[in-house]
Amino acid sequence: MSNIPTDLLYTEEHEYVKPTDQPDVVQVGITDYAQGELGDVVYVELPKVGDTFGRMDVFGTIEAVKAVSELFAPLAGEVVAVNPRLDKEPSLVNTDPYGEGWMVRLRVKNNGERDQLLGPDEYAAHIGEK
Amino acid sequence: MAQSAATQKLRQTPFHDIHVALGAKMVPFAGYEMPVQYPTGITAEHNAVRQRCGLFDVSHMGEFEIRGPQAVEFVSYVTTNDVAALAVGQVHYSTILNDRGTIEDDCLVYRFADKVMMVVNASNREKDFAHISKVKSRFDCTLKDVSDDIALLALQGPIAQRVLQPLTTTDLSTIRYYHFAEGMVSGIPAIISRTGYTGEDGFELYFAATDARPMWEALIATGDVTPAGLGCRDSLRLEMGMALYGNDIDDTTTPLEAGLGWLVKLNKGDFVGRSALVAQKERGIPRRLVGFTTSERSFPRHGYPVFYDGQPSGEVRSGIMSPSLGIPIGTCYLPSAAAKEGTSFEIEIRGKRIPATVVKMPFYKKGTHL
């Protein structure tokens, strides 16, 4: 079974949204299920600080040994930080997807969009683990 | 992330239940349900084979047995290498061609005192059998597909001999690279073949499918062996520049184009595809398989478009991020004049053309068996 923390929100494309200590900033990465399906991550192409994205825009690419996937912005917003460690240590996405393997922090443009994300139970059902 | 639905009925190797119990990720491959990786992951399995020892189930491979007074002549006629030059107890790598001189399959050929064994790719097993059967009546021999009776494990890595020796009375130090012996491994009769697809020292063990579980357990019980899946088998072989049928070679490529001219013995007498190869040599070989690397971190994969001098030049045949080297590596075909170290060309990755450079293969030069 995949780890699906109950305090996060999710997309159908397997990104998660995690609150930070700033109310309008969220941390984004991919779920434990997604990293397991992808296998060993070898490269994560991330945007720059200051880049802006609409909801479900492609914000990056993740390359695993066997497959490549696009990364989708769960919410519209501006990139305020990218995880500097992923460049040298992409395997953090595998070992700690919700912690040290985070990808970007977004300043959310429209908090109302959060209603369109999946809750933990809905995400578990989406991946067939409920 | 798309989930591939297994609609067709897949075959299973005799180790299937062991893989599932180990938590392997099972995928459809060549009509078989095969482990692509275990929970350890492809990179860790790759490194285990480079540094210590990995164990691969490759029982999906096909084995044909050829017996009779003209067994050697027959196999020499349907393959490109010279089977008559093999000593008993010796193996060689070879290709099976069609009349166009293009590759139907690559294979290993084993010469025994009383038979010849061909080992072919699982995906081509039925096709190969039908293909070589067409000319069999010209030779006094029998041809039998024994694939389903044989289990095949590959024990690969620098410590493979140390791991295997306590399980057998056969003195492994006397088996040279690309040679084999018949002996007992943990009390199970086996062909012990010093061959592999990883660039490391190692053995391939052929034995009765009914002995699968005790053989696997005996090898794992040595404590030095990491189960390894098809994922790292691919990265290990590509680092060595070893061809994979369906990627680097197929029925549109000749061995001369693929850098496999060393498998073609034009002077051994006639064989299927010979006249086409002679003609291609006279005309000139139009393109050649090359190894390349790129400086971008985003790496080229099988099927990505290739451009040389602005013109399309086929597709990437194989492409990975090399676990041992930490750089993207791959293969493609370039016009012969361009197929030399240092040539620059371009590969299109998701709509963007990036520069690539031809490098010599093998990419990885520290294998314990080059």
Side-chain angles (χ1 to χ4, degrees):
Chain A
M1 291 294 280
S2 308
N3 177 15
I4 306 173
T6 52
D7 55 339
L8 308 187
L9 296 172
Y10 300 90
T11 71
E12 292 178 350
E13 300 292 340
H14 312 289
E15 289 81 17
Y16 68 80
V17 170
K18 185 178 184 176
T20 68
D21 48 17
Q22 292 174 270
D24 61 337
V25 173
V26 296
Q27 178 173 308
V28 175
I30 65 164
T31 64
D32 180 47
Y33 172 81
Q35 70 77 20
E37 288 297 298
L38 275 170
D40 293 348
V41 173
V42 293
Y43 176 55
V44 188
E45 186 177 16
L46 293 175
K48 292 188 217 25
V49 170
D51 287 354
T52 59
F53 296 95
R55 178 171 142 74
M56 298 318 278
D57 281 357
V58 172
F59 77 82
T61 309
I62 183 163
E63 301 235 12
V65 175
K66 276 301 185 195
V68 55
S69 280
E70 292 182 319
L71 298 165
F72 297 92
L75 300 166
E78 179 188 346
V79 177
V80 295
V82 298
N83 185 345
R85 292 181 63 190
L86 291 189
D87 188 50
K88 290 277 188 303
E89 300 171 87
S91 63
L92 290 173
V93 175
N94 293 115
T95 54
D96 191 10
Y98 300 114
E100 293 185 333
W102 66 278
M103 292 173 179
V104 295
R105 295 204 177 101
L106 286 178
R107 188 179 307 282
V108 178
K109 194 173 161 192
N110 175 2
N111 267 312
E113 281 182 354
R114 295 190 199 215
D115 297 344
Q116 296 174 50
L117 297 170
L118 305 177
D121 288 348
E122 289 170 296
Y123 182 68
H126 175 63
I127 62 174
E129 294 194 358
K130 192 136 202 144
Chain B
M1 263 156 293
Q3 295 281 42
S4 57
T7 46
Q8 65 184 123
K9 177 72 184 151
L10 294 169
R11 294 181 192 172
Q12 296 177 347
T13 77
F15 302 97
H16 177 269
D17 294 352
I18 295 174
H19 303 317
V20 171
L22 288 171
K25 188 179 285 183
M26 304 298 286
V27 298
F29 180 83
Y32 282 79
E33 198 181 341
M34 297 298 289
V36 67
Q37 64 166 87
Y38 299 87
T40 28
I42 293 176
T43 310
E45 292 165 25
H46 180 106
N47 292 336
V49 173
R50 285 271 180 259
Q51 290 155 16
R52 295 187 63 77
C53 196
L55 183 63
F56 299 84
D57 172 15
V58 279
S59 303
H60 59 308
M61 301 291 285
E63 292 88 12
F64 303 155
E65 264 184 16
I66 302 95
R67 294 172 186 269
Q70 288 190 295
V72 168
E73 288 83 348
F74 168 66
V75 179
S76 211
Y77 186 71
V78 296
T79 59
T80 54
N81 213 333
D82 184 3
V83 184
L86 282 177
V88 170
Q90 198 177 3
V91 193
H92 67 203
Y93 181 46
S94 193
T95 51
I96 302 169
L97 306 185
N98 53 44
D99 290 331
R100 303 188 307 280
T102 60
I103 304 172
E104 290 287 324
D105 205 358
D106 58 343
C107 64
L108 291 180
V109 176
Y110 286 75
R111 187 167 186 180
F112 294 77
D114 59 342
K115 68 180 176 190
V116 176
M117 180 170 76
M118 295 173 70
V119 182
V120 302
N121 281 299
S123 53
N124 293 332
R125 173 180 154 194
E126 282 85 7
K127 179 190 81 169
D128 290 345
F129 193 85
H131 176 67
I132 66 175
S133 292
K134 284 186 285 190
V135 295
K136 195 189 71 70
S137 62
R138 300 189 211 167
F139 298 87
D140 184 5
C141 66
T142 60
L143 167 66
K144 194 176 170 201
D145 183 342
V146 294
S147 311
D148 291 338
D149 302 330
I150 295 180
L152 175 54
L153 290 176
L155 184 71
Q156 299 280 300
I159 67 164
Q161 179 173 318
R162 206 171 81 211
V163 168
L164 187 59
Q165 187 61 77
L167 300 181
T168 179
T169 53
T170 300
D171 180 357
L172 299 177
S173 67
T174 65
I175 307 176
R176 286 175 294 144
Y177 195 43
Y178 270 79
H179 286 71
F180 67 96
E182 292 173 270
M184 303 291 275
V185 176
S186 189
I188 298 164
I191 299 165
I192 306 168
S193 170
R194 197 159 207 151
T195 47
Y197 196 45
T198 62
E200 300 302 330
D201 191 15
F203 299 89
E204 293 179 300
L205 304 172
Y206 300 80
F207 50 96
T210 47
D211 290 324
R213 182 171 286 274
M215 181 68 95
W216 178 280
E217 286 172 353
L219 291 167
I220 291 294
T222 60
D224 285 320
V225 174
T226 304
L230 293 183
C232 75
R233 189 169 158 82
D234 188 49
S235 53
L236 288 157
R237 69 91 197 164
L238 184 56
E239 286 185 341
M240 302 312 297
M242 293 173 170
L244 171 63
Y245 194 85
N247 279 33
D248 311 288
I249 53 176
D250 57 33
D251 65 4
T252 69
T253 62
T254 72
L256 305 179
E257 294 163 3
L260 299 175
W262 57 286
L263 304 179
V264 177
K265 302 293 154 64
L266 291 173
N267 297 327
K268 70 171 174 168
D270 196 22
F271 60 89
V272 178
R274 183 182 182 279
S275 54
L277 294 187
V278 169
Q280 186 179 51
K281 262 198 156 164
E282 283 170 3
R283 278 197 316 271
I285 297 157
R287 58 174 185 166
R288 290 182 189 272
L289 187 70
V290 297
F292 67 77
T293 184
T294 73
S295 52
E296 305 253 336
R297 300 275 302 282
S298 187
F299 67 96
R301 296 170 189 267
H302 178 68
Y304 288 10
V306 172
F307 297 88
Y308 172 68
D309 206 11
Q311 299 300 309
S313 181
E315 299 172 337
V316 171
R317 292 300 186 119
S318 293
I320 57 164
M321 179 67 80
S322 162
S324 301
L325 304 171
I327 55 169
I329 59 171
T331 64
C332 66
Y333 285 88
L334 289 182
S336 291
K340 54 179 185 285
E341 207 178 345
T343 297
S344 298
F345 63 101
E346 290 182 313
I347 297 167
E348 190 176 303
I349 300 181
R350 294 183 289 281
K352 186 178 150 202
R353 288 196 196 173
I354 61 140
T357 308
V358 176
V359 296
K360 270 207 178 110
M361 293 191 280
F363 301 99
Y364 180 75
K365 303 186 197 310
K366 289 186 285 187
T368 43
H369 256 300
L370 286 174

